[in-house]
Amino acid sequence: MPRFLGSLGISSPHGRTPFCDVSWRSLVVGGIAVGAVYLVYKKYRGSHCKKSGQLVKKDWEKEVIYVCGPMLNTPQLPRLSPFRLKLETYLRLTKLNHESLDSGFGNQSSKGQFPFIEYNGQEHPDSNLIINFLREDLRADLDEHLNSYDKGVSVAIQKMFEDTVRYVILAFTYWNFGKNKSVFRAIFDNSKCRFMRTIAPVAVPMMASSYKKKIGQFGQAQGCLKLTKEENIALFTQMLSAVSAILGDKVRWLKAA
């Protein structure tokens, strides 16, 4: 092994390979083990993910709305995803017949998003498009009593919240990532597959590292991670103050904002 690495020009100033303090047999065995875990995980994940055009709820009932996606909870929030929290809150307010399903991260909508819903054997992606569907097709409109101006204010405030809160959450998730690894651990610990629970000590750090890298790249591109924590909080506070000034005593009629 050292001779092979030396032939590739990999050596230390003292003539020894950088791996001289580690048994090459350990490296080979470790590499094979990691590769095996990855391949088995990919096979397991593929066998438990719906294919394009398939439904999560195959034995669906008519007129029942099935909310699909990973169901991640915290002691402080009933749902970790703000989009799923918004959608399920809307469903509860409209008292529509619905059921929340924990379909995991592998089952995404046709647009690669979650949450999504399945209704009468049809998939509907994107939380905002879903709410539009509920309003127009199922006649579940919380703003039907508002005039055109007030409906415009409702939509504007909703967008203010979404476009600000989304990136503040992303930034603080990245900065406090060490505290959030328990979310990934829960995915494996709550799995019905014994193998998934067994590989958790190896898979969780790999999965967490990959996720942190992705949100870091997105946050840098969007700009929220280029700001300090104090600057993000200041912008969020400014948004809340603006919303408070707009609403005044009208909170009671903006049920959907």
Side-chain angles (χ1 to χ4, degrees), residues 95-164:
K95 299 181 180 180
L96 290 171
N97 188 14
H98 68 281
E99 180 181 337
S100 293
L101 304 178
D102 187 0
S103 56
F105 284 92
N107 291 312
Q108 300 179 350
S109 72
S110 57
K111 296 183 181 294
Q113 301 171 311
F114 24 70
F116 60 96
I117 67 168
E118 293 177 354
Y119 181 74
N120 288 348
Q122 297 292 323
E123 177 195 289
H124 298 271
D126 191 284
S127 59
N128 285 325
L129 295 180
I130 292 169
I131 291 177
N132 287 341
F133 166 74
L134 300 178
R135 286 171 171 166
E136 297 170 7
D137 290 54
L138 302 188
R139 305 299 180 186
D141 189 359
L142 294 174
D143 291 345
E144 62 182 352
H145 61 294
L146 302 180
N147 58 40
S148 298
Y149 174 81
D150 290 338
K151 287 182 178 179
V153 173
S154 176
V155 172
I157 291 176
Q158 179 181 329
K159 294 301 181 183
M160 287 174 64
F161 267 103
E162 288 188 355
D163 291 342
T164 303

